[in-house]
Every structure is written in structure tokens, then in C-alpha cells.
Amino acid sequence: MDKTPKTAIRGMMLYVLALLVLGVLAGAAYTIYGHPADPSERPAAETIPQTAPAPQ
């Protein structure tokens, strides 16, 4: 099998690094700006009915 050129390996590593950086930036932006615009709106966790555990 032929050896992979170092430039190709460097390019792939740079591509993976760029994807990781973009993922972190997208996650940070979602965390900062992903909240509801209306603060009076109830969180989704409060709208899910909670069932009580069955008595034993």
C-alpha cells in the first residue's frame, strides 16, 4: 500500500479540528441564545406530567 502524503494527513487533522471548533462555538451560541424569548413562558420540564411511583 502506498504511503499517505503528510499534507493529506495534515489536511484531515485540520478539517477535524475545524469541525470540533465549530461544534463548540455552535454549542456555546445555543446555550447563550437558545432560551425562550418570552421569560414568562414555562419551561418544557414543567409541562410534562410527573407520575407518582406505585405504592408497595
Side-chain angles (χ1 to χ4, degrees):
M1 190 169 8
D2 296 332
K3 277 184 74 173
T4 306
K6 284 187 179 181
T7 54
I9 294 172
R10 228 178 264 138
M12 285 185 278
M13 295 289 272
L14 186 64
Y15 179 73
V16 170
L17 183 66
L19 284 178
L20 285 171
V21 169
L22 284 174
V24 168
L25 290 176
Y30 180 76
T31 302
I32 293 169
Y33 300 112
H35 54 79
D38 185 6
S40 66
E41 186 176 329
R42 290 173 55 196
E46 290 181 6
T47 63
I48 300 171
Q50 300 293 321
T51 57
Q56 295 181 356

